[in-house]
Amino acid sequence: MTTNPTTQSQTPPFDAQRIAVLRQVLDIAVEQIAVQHRTPATKAMMAQIIVRHAADGITDTGALVNHAVQAGAAGAP
């Protein structure tokens, strides 16, 4: 079976430790938004923001939390 390189994800892989840290960042960020916005859709949106910024090289957990909280503050569209 051949794979098409254009259909493969362009996101760099994260090791297990980094994934665990990103999960903690998500948990912290979710705790900082209003309870009514803590839906699966909002959490998924926040996770995407965290992964996107981490892939861009942001390693500061406080900055990642802030980005996620800003994205999730109003809930998912």
Side-chain angles (χ1 to χ4, degrees):
M1 179 176 160
T2 60
T3 59
N4 183 346
T6 60
T7 60
Q8 292 178 341
S9 173
Q10 298 299 317
T11 304
F14 295 113
D15 63 19
Q17 181 179 359
R18 184 69 174 150
I19 291 170
V21 170
L22 296 179
R23 176 63 192 196
Q24 289 176 337
V25 168
L26 177 61
D27 291 341
I28 293 166
V30 167
E31 289 294 320
Q32 295 183 30
I33 63 170
V35 173
Q36 66 267 23
H37 295 307
R38 296 179 191 175
T39 64
T42 300
K43 290 178 186 179
M45 179 180 66
M46 293 170 73
Q48 288 176 339
I49 294 296
I50 291 166
V51 170
R52 184 178 311 131
H53 286 291
D56 287 343
I58 296 175
T59 58
D60 180 70
T61 56
L64 292 171
V65 168
N66 287 335
H67 287 296
V69 169
Q70 288 175 359

